Amino acid sequence: MNKRYVLFFLLLITIVLPALSQTPECPSQTYVLEHPYSVEKITPPKGHKIKNVILMIGDGMSLMHVYSAWTANRGKLWLDNCQYVGLSKTYCANKLITDSGAGGTALSSGYKTNYHSVGVDTNGKPLKSLCTLAQEKGKSSGIAVTCRLWDATPADFCCHNVDRDKEMDIVADYVNCGIDYAFGGGAAYFENRPDGRDLFKELQSKGYQTPRTWADVEKIKSGKVFAIPYSKDTPVPAVRGDLLARASIKGLDLLNQNKKGFFMMIEGSQLDDYGHSNDLDMLMQETHDFDKTIGEVMKWAAKDGETLVVVTADHETGGLTLVDGNLKKGEIVCKFSTHEHSGVMVPVYAFGPGSENFSGIYENTEIFWKIKKLLKL
Ligand SMILES: [Zn+2]
């Protein structure tokens, strides 16, 4: 054999092939929470009566997100006040790895549906959400999110479409969904629509107040509210501050005027976005903002005494892994394994009366059926 061929084969075997077979190492990111926040111990209420349920969804939040956020905050989270913990299996009807459309529909309506569907079953038939069922029993219902309202999670609770990308059609469903309080972004598709409809005017004709600034939301003391102060998503946590907590508590105070009780869904919407973009810094900012909102909501629920708080996720996003860090310094070193969602059971935390029902391992749909039973819907 020619010497050059021998050299070529030697090169191929010793350098080229091993290099090709190796998975490229994904880079790690380091994050330090400069100013840790304080966390209090909240005593859960002693009674067993359940008048209200608050379902809090961290979009794309897995145990890894929670543990990373816990480490960065020097070993404390408001979430740690929860009394019971379970695990939820998130796969959807036609895919192992779900999206927010199908993942949220399982939570809002109790059925596994197809990937990218919102509020409909696998045949495209509209499903009744916990919001609708609460209304049918004379209770109030509401939602507070940091994303645009046509995004999948809020839409899962109020809208019906086989395709989450039919955004114009999805937002139009809000006019007839009957909820008592909505806070979020997405004003852009409520007005100046290609079909000529002005959804703000339509909501007003149905008796809704439609404040467009937080200052105007604050002035409202009673009645039905559709508060959409932002054109698309709400600003980043550093700009919006504790807006999600404020908007949530405002909703709770308004809904609580109904003596029969209420159901409310609160979402930390943008954990998912920064999981997709593999941005650890922003992901932790959103996770901590969601945790602080959980703290405010838990304090409200503990004072009320008849409110169950359930905190969960619809799926994991980013394949987040904590690979190193320092608990004392609040430093975390993480890697992401994907820009998409990943397949893992997500945690379910519960606080307040009825929380014992949420321990165990179950399908995501069970969260709906448990809440439905406990609220007697
Ligand atoms: Zn999601």
Side-chain angles (χ1 to χ4, degrees), residues 59-60 99-100 153 267 272 314-315 317 341:
D59 199 322
D99 77 314
S100 297
T153 310
E267 186 193 33
D272 179 68
D314 47 356
H315 54 77
T317 309
H341 300 167

Side-chain angles (χ1 to χ4, degrees), residues 51-53 134 137-141 255-263 375:
K51 194 171 91 173
N52 317 308
V53 173
K137 286 284 152 98
K139 289 177 177 281
S140 292
S141 65
L255 298 176
N256 198 36
Q257 291 175 9
N258 184 342
K259 298 242 172 342
K260 290 182 176 167
F262 64 82
F263 168 80
L375 265 185

